[in-house]
Amino acid sequence: MKTERKKVLQIIWFENIKIAFQSILSNKMRSLLTMLGIIIGISSVISIVSIGDSMKGVMDDIYKDVGKNRAYLYINNIEDFRSTDFFSFEDLDILKERFNNKIIYICPSESLRSDVTVNKNTIKLKMTCVDSDYDKVQEVKMLYGRMINKGDVDRKSKVIVLEQAAAMKLFKKENVIGKSIRIKIDNVLEDLMIVGVYKIDQSPILSLLQGQSVYEESYIPYTMAFPSYYGFYGLDIFVNEKLSVSSVGDEVVSYIANMKHRVPENYWFYTAEEDQASANSVVGGLSVAVAAIAAISLVVGGIGIMNIMLVSVTERTREIGIKKALGARTKDVLFQFLIESATLSAIGGIVGTVTGIGLVMLGGSLISIPIVVNPASILIAVIFSMVIGVFFGYYPAKKAAKSDPIDALRYE
Amino acid sequence: MNNIISIKNLNKIYKTGSVEVHALKNVNLNIEDGEFIAIMGHSGSGKSTLMNILGCLDKPTEGQYILEGLEISKQSPDELSFIRNRKIGFVFQSFNLIPRINVFKNVELPMIYAKTKLLKRKERALELLDKVGLGDRLTHLPNELSGGQKQRVAIARALANNPPIILADEPTGNLDTQSSNEIMGIFTKLHEEGNSIILVTHEPDIAKYANRVIVFRDGMIIEDRKKEGASNNLV
């Protein structure tokens, strides 16, 4: 008996949906204009959400390059600064030994800058100081020759590994192994031999974000750049990937604080992970804010639907009267109009979703970043648009359903 | 005595602002199953008001209306919808077909609300449209039909749920003589088949088809006569 009732109910649902489609189709232009509000609203929400998601994807890529196990240790906020507070070469050796299995790479976080001229071609060169094995912890894509090795560091060799663009600008060719360039370190001229050429593979979006740097990149052994009595402000650290970066950081900080008779608050252990989290939260917050603004247009679209449904109810007053005379209950009329407005806005939602994804795909292909479209956001968009249809369709539908058949029949 | 409709001391007062219109005054009326009644009167005589009350579209201000044993004034709007759907077939002067849907669907509509199963519904609609001679016009929209044809669709629709009473409010009011005669022919046939028909008209030519004529004036029945030798065809 119950299933019988259910079946019978389904029939009238189906009829109502058919009636809704008929009524939408019989007023194509008006339906389209009504849907436009929802289409614009949904497509902007969808595209903003997926731009946000795509940006997060780009961020992940960027920080994958940087390395999640990378950290920097800086001296921070010491009022009575002493020369012993600097990290010395000895400190480096102590840390290397003490955290032998926890830290896989440690090196002063330093770089030098100098103008370099070869055959009247002048470039500005940034020389990043590295220890040996830098290429073991961070990917360095060698084109020719080799990376800075242990021998270079131990012997303080006057060698340099150039980035391909620097080589091209100076020598008009990539393979420049064995050639020398003259640089100026602390007003002292040095001739460095090029032992390797590497290439930075940068995603277009990253270079877009970072902008064009005036400096060309290169690597030099840190022992060559600084005298052995020199002290450093900061250290470049790679933590063993199996361990938590922050807990190793805490250990290192407290060890150093103890060693230097300072408190841990005097040091700043900065991780890429932390940086990524804060960058992600900025991107996330931004896209939520913009999506919220876009959602306002959904409300405007909803009001458009309400308006057109009210017109539709007035137009069909007589039809409602006839239907009521023929036995339509309040519920039947209510559902007919609710289904109509929900269908109207759901179609708008679907069209809007397709438009939004299309726009983002187009934009993504223009600036060549991978587009992330969250299926959940599509589902939410369509359901949300139906909810808007039902919400804003309820008042007109209720008005239609409650109308007195005799007044409705008399209506001309 | 088989009263399908029984009305006792029925009063209907319309209030528009401070003006009160006493549209029906103490009307008493019994209608038997199988009767063909014409309700006559000038405009404003109360005949349309009575028609609306009989059709459960309006409620009396005072008095009792019993339709097949049901006290109508006590029903909720949805119960009234149910009663209109199952017990009353409406035929209006202005046809009142739904313009956006075709002839077949118009006839189907009362059966959709009655939750008749799809197949049975389609069969019944076909059968009825054949009966009124429009079996070849199923997919036409109402505005593609002549007045007489529209009214025949309306009659088919009125018969859809096989109601005990057919209420026709000036069914020939918008039709030419020939179409009027055709429509009245259909009503006569329906009456012969045993349907109870209540017809509102102001034309004596139409009223003569009925076997009982009730005349209204100023909200009161001033005449109620049965035709000589009229029988109900139902024994």
Side-chain angles (χ1 to χ4, degrees):
Chain A
M1 189 63 200
K2 264 211 162 150
T3 51
E4 188 77 357
R5 255 188 88 81
K6 244 186 187 168
K7 237 184 191 170
V8 156
L9 273 173
Q10 271 168 356
I11 291 171
I12 199 144
W13 268 101
F14 180 64
E15 292 300 327
N16 270 328
I17 291 168
K18 264 198 339 206
I19 291 169
F21 268 98
Q22 272 164 5
S23 137
I24 289 166
L25 285 177
S26 63
N27 265 315
K28 286 191 193 74
M29 189 62 183
R30 184 161 94 190
S31 305
L32 183 75
L33 288 175
T34 308
M35 278 187 254
L36 208 56
I38 296 290
I39 292 173
I40 292 170
I42 289 288
S43 64
S44 28
V45 170
I46 285 272
S47 45
I48 285 157
V49 168
S50 77
I51 286 171
D53 286 348
S54 307
M55 287 307 285
K56 275 184 196 156
V58 170
M59 293 285 188
D60 282 345
D61 274 359
I62 291 170
Y63 285 99
K64 208 168 64 200
D65 285 349
V66 172
K68 282 198 168 171
N69 60 335
R70 189 173 203 165
Y72 298 95
L73 179 69
Y74 292 108
I75 298 166
N76 185 33
N77 202 18
I78 297 180
E79 277 173 22
D80 53 334
F81 198 85
R82 304 182 290 252
S83 63
T84 51
D85 282 320
F86 282 121
F87 300 118
S88 66
F89 279 57
E90 288 78 28
D91 293 342
L92 281 176
D93 290 335
I94 292 168
L95 285 173
K96 270 182 199 170
E97 199 179 315
R98 174 68 180 78
F99 293 97
N100 181 29
N101 53 349
K102 293 182 178 169
I103 290 176
I104 53 176
Y105 176 88
I106 187 163
C107 175
S109 176
E110 293 282 355
S111 61
L112 305 175
R113 283 165 173 79
S114 168
D115 285 355
V116 178
T117 306
V118 175
N119 299 332
K120 292 179 187 163
N121 299 316
T122 303
I123 59 163
K124 290 183 180 301
L125 190 65
K126 177 187 166 194
M127 291 160 284
T128 305
C129 296
V130 294
D131 199 348
S132 60
D133 293 345
Y134 181 73
D135 52 336
K136 300 242 168 62
V137 293
Q138 182 74 23
E139 194 191 350
V140 178
K141 196 174 173 191
M142 296 306 298
L143 296 178
Y144 304 99
R146 59 172 177 82
M147 186 56 186
I148 306 295
N149 63 21
K150 194 163 186 308
D152 299 328
V153 174
D154 289 347
R155 290 193 295 271
K156 303 177 185 176
S157 308
K158 295 187 191 318
V159 294
I160 187 165
V161 177
L162 273 188
E163 208 269 324
Q164 168 238 20
M168 280 304 284
K169 281 180 184 166
L170 289 173
F171 298 98
K172 309 288 176 215
K173 60 174 185 173
E174 282 183 354
N175 190 351
V176 291
I177 307 295
K179 294 193 184 294
S180 282
I181 53 170
R182 178 161 293 175
I183 61 154
K184 199 189 242 178
I185 302 176
D186 282 340
N187 281 326
V188 178
L189 290 172
E190 297 275 12
D191 283 324
L192 301 183
M193 192 176 78
I194 300 165
V195 294
V197 177
Y198 72 104
K199 185 176 184 341
I200 297 175
D201 263 335
Q202 211 173 36
S203 64
I205 185 71
L206 187 59
S207 40
L208 204 72
L209 286 177
Q210 290 183 335
Q212 201 64 44
S213 167
V214 290
Y215 284 97
E216 302 301 334
E217 299 281 337
S218 68
Y219 291 119
I220 52 172
Y222 77 98
T223 48
M224 180 270 289
F226 298 99
S228 56
Y229 54 81
Y230 201 84
F232 305 97
Y233 257 111
L235 299 176
D236 193 1
I237 292 171
F238 283 79
V239 175
N240 188 332
E241 278 172 21
K242 292 181 191 102
L243 301 171
S244 144
V245 179
S246 55
S247 66
V248 172
D250 289 346
E251 274 183 59
V252 172
V253 166
S254 69
Y255 183 80
I256 286 180
N258 194 31
M259 187 169 82
K260 302 271 188 190
H261 308 293
R262 293 288 181 189
V263 290
E265 285 69 40
N266 294 131
Y267 297 92
W268 184 34
F269 193 80
Y270 171 84
T271 65
E273 214 167 18
E274 229 170 74
D275 199 34
Q276 184 181 8
S278 71
N280 271 349
S281 78
V282 168
V283 170
L286 210 65
S287 58
V288 164
V290 182
I293 293 167
I296 292 171
S297 63
L298 276 179
V299 175
V300 175
I303 293 168
I305 283 184
M306 177 146 85
N307 187 27
I308 222 68
M309 289 309 294
L310 279 171
V311 171
S312 180
V313 166
T314 311
E315 264 184 3
R316 282 189 265 165
T317 304
R318 202 179 172 79
E319 178 187 319
I320 295 162
I322 298 167
K323 285 185 169 171
K324 285 203 141 182
L326 296 179
R329 292 159 302 166
T330 311
K331 201 161 70 178
D332 293 324
V333 179
L334 184 74
F335 275 126
Q336 185 199 320
F337 282 94
L338 272 188
I339 288 172
E340 188 171 325
S341 63
T343 309
L344 203 59
S345 60
I347 295 174
I350 291 165
V351 174
T353 306
V354 173
T355 314
I357 293 173
L359 282 177
V360 173
M361 290 284 187
L362 189 73
S365 71
L366 284 183
I367 57 170
S368 65
I369 60 168
I371 291 303
V372 183
V373 178
N374 192 344
S377 70
I378 296 172
L379 198 69
I380 289 168
V382 174
I383 290 173
F384 188 61
S385 62
M386 281 186 80
V387 168
I388 280 183
V390 171
F391 181 80
F392 286 101
Y394 186 79
Y395 172 70
K398 192 79 194 168
K399 199 180 158 193
K402 274 165 76 180
S403 64
D404 193 358
I406 194 137
D407 292 337
L409 276 173
R410 257 193 225 125
Y411 184 88
E412 290 299 332
Chain B
M1 235 346 219
N2 186 9
N3 280 347
I4 189 167
I5 285 173
S6 165
I7 284 173
K8 279 179 198 135
N9 297 324
L10 199 77
N11 280 278
K12 179 71 186 180
I13 300 165
Y14 289 114
K15 275 185 195 164
T16 18
S18 57
V19 185
E20 281 192 4
V21 179
H22 211 140
L24 292 175
K25 295 169 191 163
N26 285 322
V27 174
N28 288 287
L29 182 63
N30 288 313
I31 296 170
E32 287 173 36
D33 197 7
E35 277 193 289
F36 187 175
I37 296 174
I39 296 176
M40 295 193 70
H42 299 292
S43 67
S45 62
K47 61 183 195 304
S48 289
T49 305
L50 180 72
M51 202 65 171
N52 287 334
I53 291 172
L54 287 176
C56 302
L57 292 166
D58 206 353
K59 282 185 177 184
T61 314
E62 247 177 68
Q64 211 180 33
Y65 167 29
I66 294 169
L67 169 65
E68 284 204 317
L70 282 170
E71 167 73 71
I72 295 307
S73 53
K74 286 184 180 144
Q75 311 294 323
S76 73
D78 277 354
E79 283 165 334
L80 289 176
S81 283
F82 181 85
I83 291 164
R84 286 194 296 267
N85 186 242
R86 305 299 168 98
K87 304 215 178 282
I88 298 158
F90 287 97
V91 178
F92 300 95
Q93 178 177 3
S94 52
F95 322 121
N96 277 343
L97 299 176
I98 292 175
R100 290 181 300 118
I101 60 178
N102 67 31
V103 165
F104 185 79
K105 284 182 175 154
N106 263 287
V107 178
E108 240 189 323
L109 202 57
M111 293 184 278
I112 290 174
Y113 295 127
K115 294 171 182 173
T116 310
K117 281 191 182 153
L118 191 76
L119 222 65
K120 214 179 145 196
R121 200 166 82 200
K122 305 262 180 215
E123 267 172 31
R124 176 80 178 147
L126 278 175
E127 178 197 323
L128 288 167
L129 282 164
D130 277 339
K131 188 173 181 171
V132 297
L134 289 172
D136 55 344
R137 294 281 195 278
L138 302 180
T139 56
H140 285 59
L141 289 174
N143 63 13
E144 294 165 346
L145 302 177
S146 71
Q149 286 172 326
K150 281 184 200 170
Q151 201 57 298
R152 281 191 269 162
V153 176
I155 293 172
R157 186 178 67 181
L159 294 170
N161 288 328
N162 210 0
I165 301 160
I166 294 162
L167 285 182
D169 190 0
E170 304 266 13
T172 58
N174 287 1
L175 300 178
D176 57 49
T177 317
Q178 204 204 322
S179 302
S180 296
N181 290 337
E182 278 172 28
I183 294 299
M184 291 319 294
I186 293 174
F187 278 121
T188 309
K189 200 169 153 234
L190 290 173
H191 175 233
E192 279 164 8
E193 287 169 10
N195 289 291
S196 311
I197 299 166
I198 303 171
L199 185 111
V200 168
T201 184
H202 61 270
E203 295 170 75
D205 282 352
I206 298 301
K208 73 176 190 236
Y209 286 91
N211 59 6
R212 181 180 171 191
V213 177
I214 297 167
V215 183
F216 269 80
R217 186 186 290 163
D218 298 331
M220 289 182 287
I221 296 174
I222 56 162
E223 195 184 335
D224 184 350
R225 63 183 148 84
K226 287 201 179 178
K227 235 187 210 174
E228 292 295 319
S231 68
N232 284 342
N233 292 306
L234 276 184
V235 184

